Amino acid sequence: MNKKFNTDMVSPKCPIRNVLSRICDKWSILVLCILEQEGILRFNALQKNIPDISQKMLTVTLRTLEEDGLVKRNIYAEVPPRVEYNLTELGVSFVSLLKNLVMWAKDNMDDIVFNRTLAK
């Protein structure tokens, strides 16, 4: 059965393009996977799990994920103030889909690297 290409996907209002443009940066998927694995984390603990991310980039990434409702930021009025991050229900549902992509990447990385060497 030959299905036609969904022309909605080429529209700037396409849900797929909209979501992917927000989470397909260098850090978002990694942050989501770490929060899924570790649960509730403070900023410094999250940064220790991703040693090559800058403080500014982690802040920007967390804010974007929070704006989209994938991550929740909990602020506790203590001295010093304590801030913790965890996945929302929406974030958990998204990460459950991501797990297949992560497994696929792990299973196929050797072949992908090999093919890249052939292409050079």
Side-chain angles (χ1 to χ4, degrees):
M1 179 177 203
N2 190 5
K3 291 187 178 183
K4 286 182 119 181
F5 180 73
N6 184 349
T7 55
D8 290 341
M9 290 174 44
V10 296
S11 165
K13 294 181 181 180
C14 171
I16 295 169
R17 289 175 63 184
N18 185 292
V19 170
L20 290 179
S21 72
R22 298 285 285 204
I23 56 105
C24 285
D25 58 27
K26 187 174 180 179
W27 305 111
S28 293
I29 291 175
L30 187 55
V31 167
L32 291 169
C33 289
I34 289 170
L35 285 173
E36 190 271 336
Q37 200 171 47
E38 300 293 326
I40 299 170
L41 286 176
R42 293 177 76 169
F43 185 91
N44 287 339
L46 191 50
Q47 191 171 22
K48 285 179 185 174
N49 277 280
I50 314 170
D52 53 337
I53 192 170
S54 70
Q55 183 175 346
K56 180 181 178 182
M57 200 65 241
L58 181 55
T59 300
V60 168
T61 301
L62 287 167
R63 283 187 185 152
T64 301
L65 294 171
E66 185 181 7
E67 285 173 10
D68 287 349
L70 299 172
V71 169
K72 183 176 180 187
R73 180 175 182 241
N74 299 302
I75 305 168
Y76 298 93
E78 301 173 352
V79 178
R82 179 170 49 113
V83 179
E84 295 177 337
Y85 298 89
N86 63 296
L87 294 179
T88 62
E89 282 187 42
L90 187 62
V92 170
S93 70
F94 180 71
V95 172
S96 71
L97 298 172
L98 266 180
K99 286 181 180 182
N100 287 328
L101 176 62
V102 170
M103 292 295 293
W104 182 89
K106 286 180 180 179
D107 291 346
N108 292 286
M109 192 61 205
D110 290 341
D111 290 337
I112 292 168
V113 170
F114 177 74
N115 290 329
R116 287 177 185 168
T117 61
L118 292 179
K120 289 183 181 180

